[in-house]
Amino acid sequence: MSRNRKIVASAAIVIAIVSVIISINQTNTTLRNLVCAPCIEGSNNNLEGSKIIQVTGALGPESIAFDPNGDGPYTGVADGRILKWQGDELGWTEFAVTTSPRCGCLLLDREKVSRE
């Protein structure tokens, strides 16, 4: 491709990008809305006040669920257990076991293997 064609192609790309930005600004949509969802009037944004609860002693969580009563969250971890969050005082407690224990799925087992 000749040098002139590269310049023309680059100029066309720049003009296209500038045109998109101008059209976005003319429709009263901010560039932030391209990345983030717009605010919906009357909605409750509860995730801003949330905190991350670490699962210790296991690899996971693999999924999160709540029951119809609003209890939980429940989470499955790699060794087949289902854990239930019981609040800051009790933390994660074993709710159910779906499979027999699997070697290497607990963090403690992995640390022992890596030391040997």
Side-chain angles (χ1 to χ4, degrees):
M1 189 183 247
S2 71
R3 186 166 194 254
N4 288 340
R5 287 187 180 178
K6 287 181 182 179
I7 292 172
V8 170
S10 298
I13 292 171
V14 169
I15 290 170
I17 292 171
V18 169
S19 298
V20 169
I21 292 172
I22 290 171
S23 68
I24 288 172
N25 286 332
Q26 287 177 348
T27 59
N28 294 327
T29 304
T30 62
L31 290 176
R32 183 176 179 273
N33 286 343
L34 291 175
V35 179
C36 301
C39 294
I40 299 172
E41 192 173 325
S43 67
N44 296 322
N45 186 359
N46 295 328
L47 289 178
E48 287 183 2
S50 63
K51 67 177 182 174
I52 296 175
I53 305 169
Q54 298 295 333
V55 176
T56 56
L59 296 176
E62 294 180 341
S63 60
I64 299 286
F66 292 87
D67 67 18
N69 299 326
D71 291 337
Y74 299 85
T75 184
V77 291
D79 62 4
R81 293 178 295 150
I82 297 174
L83 306 176
K84 179 181 179 182
W85 180 251
Q86 298 283 352
D88 289 328
E89 190 173 314
L90 295 175
W92 292 103
T93 59
E94 195 170 286
F95 178 75
V97 178
T98 59
T99 61
S100 59
R102 293 184 253 171
C103 180
C105 292
L106 291 175
L107 290 178
L108 299 176
D109 291 344
R110 274 200 163 173
E111 290 172 3
K112 288 178 188 175
V113 170
S114 66
R115 290 181 190 154
E116 294 173 353

